[in-house]
Structure formats: structure tokens, C-alpha cells
Amino acid sequence: MVLSKEVAVVGAVIVGLSVAYALARIGASVTVIDRDANCGNSSSGSAGGVAVTEVMSASIPGLWKKVSGWLLDPLGPLGGTPGHAFRLLPWLAAFARAGRSEAMPRISGALASINERAYDDLAALLRHTRGSAPQ
């Protein structure tokens, strides 16, 4: 792989910092650029949380009952035009199937597997970037 010796990464949120960290580890000289010099706003959306314990499906048993209300609310999570709602039907059916009780163990297991390395990866990132690793 050809790597420039000097790299700029725009954005000091977790993705930008992770990319900068990975590049530095393979020998690049990295400059991180963020609109806030102190990176004080870098976690405003996620509050700096790493949700490794979030292993529940977005669809849970009974949630499908709220869909009609969401479709009728123009500011709701599924608000839109009636034609748009019709095109959502295949996705809504799959969403409802994913929320069945018998699907929960499979989905939670898959999400837990994805999240399994997060603490170790985050701890290494923080140790090498002078952050404080989670205990």
C-alpha cells in the first residue's frame, strides 16, 4: 500500500479519531482538523457514549402496532406522503417480522457479537491517544 507521509483527517468524532489512530499506527504523520479547536462539540450527537450493551432489535414485540400512528404523523419517524407509506410496506413487514419474540435471541446474539470487541478496541485507542480507557 502506498501511503502519504502526511495525512489530514477532517472531524474529531469517533470515526475521524479512529481513522487518524489507524493511520498513525502505520507510520503516517496525521493532523486532525475539527471546526472546534478543543473538539468540545465532537460528541454532541452521541454524548460520547459507546453503546456496546445495546443488543436489542430496533423492532420489538408489539412495536408494529404504533406504525399506523407514525405514518399519520407528518413529524413522526415514518411521516411522509401516502404514496411513500405504500412503498414502505415491504420494509414494514420485515420490520414487524424482526420484532417477533422468537427473533429476539438471534438478533441480540448477532448484535452482541458485533459489539464484542468494542471495549478492547476503544481501550487501545484511548491508551494510545492519551485518553482514559474504560475500566
Side-chain angles (χ1 to χ4, degrees):
M1 170 175 37
V2 177
L3 177 67
S4 173
K5 293 188 184 264
E6 295 182 17
V7 179
V9 174
V10 179
V13 294
I14 191 65
V15 172
L17 293 177
S18 296
V19 167
Y21 171 68
L23 289 168
R25 293 211 31 155
I26 60 173
S29 173
V30 181
T31 300
V32 177
I33 302 167
D34 195 83
R35 67 178 166 196
D36 179 2
N38 296 317
C39 304
N41 293 320
S42 64
S43 64
S44 61
S46 64
V50 177
V52 296
T53 58
E54 297 298 320
V55 295
M56 289 299 296
S57 170
S59 179
I60 57 174
L63 188 63
W64 63 269
K65 296 174 187 174
K66 296 184 178 190
V67 168
S68 61
W70 289 341
L71 288 169
L72 296 173
D73 181 357
L75 300 177
L78 298 176
T81 65
H84 184 246
F86 184 74
R87 289 193 314 267
L88 275 177
L89 286 177
W91 181 88
L92 290 170
F95 184 74
R97 281 192 305 276
R100 294 175 300 159
S101 296
E102 58 270 16
M104 294 295 106
R106 178 184 56 80
I107 291 170
S108 293
L111 289 171
S113 177
I114 290 168
N115 291 341
E116 191 173 301
R117 291 183 37 191
Y119 279 125
D120 292 337
D121 290 348
L122 182 60
L125 173 69
L126 292 173
R127 272 194 307 277
H128 290 98
T129 57
R130 292 175 292 200
S132 51
Q135 301 300 318

XYZ file of all heavy atoms in Angstrom, residues 3-4 7-8 13 24 33 41 44 62 72 74 77 79 83 89-90 92-93 97 104 112 120-121 127 130:
184
model
N 1.330 5.003 0.973
C 0.756 5.887 1.976
C 1.526 7.194 1.988
O 2.749 7.201 2.077
C 0.830 5.224 3.357
C 0.328 6.030 4.538
C -1.179 6.243 4.429
C 0.641 5.306 5.828
N 0.776 8.294 1.884
C 1.408 9.604 2.017
C 1.926 9.718 3.442
O 1.301 9.236 4.380
C 0.373 10.689 1.725
O 0.927 11.949 2.014
N -0.980 13.158 6.423
C -2.400 12.959 6.158
C -3.200 13.892 7.055
O -2.876 14.058 8.230
C -2.814 11.495 6.446
C -4.295 11.295 6.197
C -1.979 10.531 5.629
N -4.251 14.483 6.497
C -5.181 15.291 7.285
C -6.493 14.527 7.388
O -7.001 14.006 6.399
C -5.411 16.645 6.632
N -14.596 13.361 15.640
C -15.522 12.449 16.308
C -14.910 11.061 16.275
O -13.812 10.865 15.763
C -16.931 12.491 15.666
C -17.578 13.846 15.886
C -16.865 12.184 14.195
N -1.813 6.675 11.982
C -0.592 6.931 12.758
C 0.126 5.629 13.091
O 1.355 5.565 13.067
C -0.934 7.697 14.032
N -8.297 17.777 11.942
C -8.882 19.110 11.803
C -10.340 19.032 12.219
O -11.086 18.173 11.740
C -8.784 19.602 10.341
C -7.323 19.623 9.899
C -9.445 20.960 10.184
C -7.141 19.779 8.398
N -17.423 19.923 20.777
C -18.710 19.512 20.219
C -18.646 18.147 19.556
O -19.603 17.713 18.944
C -19.190 20.541 19.180
C -19.530 21.855 19.830
O -20.105 21.884 20.911
N -19.168 22.946 19.182
N -21.551 15.722 20.597
C -22.853 16.273 20.942
C -24.003 15.373 20.520
O -25.032 15.332 21.165
C -23.026 17.661 20.339
O -22.945 17.583 18.935
N -44.728 -6.177 19.482
C -45.808 -5.212 19.667
C -45.554 -3.834 19.090
O -46.478 -3.034 18.977
N -49.230 8.474 10.074
C -50.154 9.613 10.022
C -49.558 10.886 10.598
O -50.069 11.973 10.358
C -51.450 9.266 10.764
C -52.266 8.131 10.146
C -53.427 7.752 11.047
C -52.745 8.515 8.758
N -46.992 13.678 10.449
C -46.012 14.199 9.493
C -44.634 14.448 10.112
O -43.637 14.496 9.409
C -46.639 15.497 8.995
C -47.673 15.851 9.994
C -48.113 14.590 10.663
N -41.535 9.351 13.020
C -40.396 8.649 12.420
C -40.682 8.074 11.034
O -39.755 7.786 10.292
C -40.086 7.533 13.421
C -41.322 7.369 14.229
C -42.003 8.703 14.239
N -43.218 9.572 8.976
C -44.075 10.546 8.303
C -43.688 10.728 6.843
O -42.535 10.588 6.458
N -48.346 7.844 -0.703
C -47.638 7.015 -1.671
C -46.340 6.466 -1.108
O -45.964 5.324 -1.363
N -44.298 -0.592 2.674
C -44.915 -1.830 3.154
C -43.963 -3.021 3.212
O -43.945 -3.730 4.225
C -46.165 -2.160 2.340
C -47.372 -1.274 2.647
C -48.535 -1.630 1.733
C -47.774 -1.375 4.105
N -43.160 -3.300 2.188
C -42.238 -4.447 2.306
C -41.258 -4.280 3.477
O -40.987 -5.231 4.219
C -41.494 -4.461 0.967
C -42.399 -3.748 0.022
C -43.103 -2.706 0.851
N -41.776 -2.446 6.186
C -42.547 -2.545 7.426
C -42.849 -3.995 7.781
O -42.816 -4.376 8.957
C -43.841 -1.737 7.312
C -43.655 -0.226 7.276
C -44.972 0.461 6.911
C -43.127 0.289 8.606
N -43.131 -4.818 6.774
C -43.383 -6.239 7.032
C -42.134 -6.911 7.596
O -42.211 -7.678 8.563
C -43.844 -6.930 5.745
N -41.593 -8.579 11.312
C -41.072 -9.942 11.498
C -39.862 -9.949 12.423
O -39.704 -10.844 13.252
C -40.708 -10.570 10.155
C -41.884 -11.103 9.377
C -41.461 -11.969 8.201
N -40.549 -11.296 7.290
C -40.913 -10.484 6.296
N -42.187 -10.234 6.098
N -40.015 -9.928 5.517
N -35.835 -12.435 18.805
C -35.006 -11.644 19.736
C -33.678 -12.314 20.097
O -32.636 -11.665 20.045
C -35.781 -11.301 21.012
C -36.971 -10.359 20.801
S -36.499 -8.716 20.244
C -36.988 -8.805 18.542
N -24.613 -8.580 19.873
C -23.585 -8.761 20.909
C -22.259 -9.171 20.281
O -21.195 -8.708 20.694
C -24.045 -9.796 21.934
N -12.323 -3.497 24.007
C -10.892 -3.686 23.791
C -10.350 -2.702 22.760
O -9.290 -2.108 22.942
C -10.596 -5.115 23.341
C -10.858 -6.131 24.436
O -10.845 -5.747 25.624
O -11.078 -7.305 24.103
N -11.084 -2.526 21.662
C -10.648 -1.590 20.629
C -10.627 -0.158 21.150
O -9.705 0.602 20.901
C -11.546 -1.681 19.399
C -11.364 -2.988 18.639
O -10.395 -3.718 18.932
O -12.192 -3.270 17.760
N -5.735 4.539 25.139
C -4.386 4.446 25.710
C -3.368 5.112 24.804
O -2.480 5.815 25.267
C -3.992 2.981 25.918
C -4.396 2.402 27.231
C -3.698 1.079 27.506
N -3.847 0.114 26.435
C -4.905 -0.689 26.283
N -5.894 -0.633 27.131
N -4.946 -1.536 25.273
N -3.811 9.195 24.623
C -3.808 9.911 25.907
C -5.199 10.156 26.469
O -5.413 11.064 27.244
C -3.034 11.210 25.808
C -1.571 10.974 25.609
C -0.882 12.265 25.406
N -1.343 12.781 24.117
C -0.724 13.682 23.403
N 0.370 14.207 23.846
N -1.174 14.078 22.253
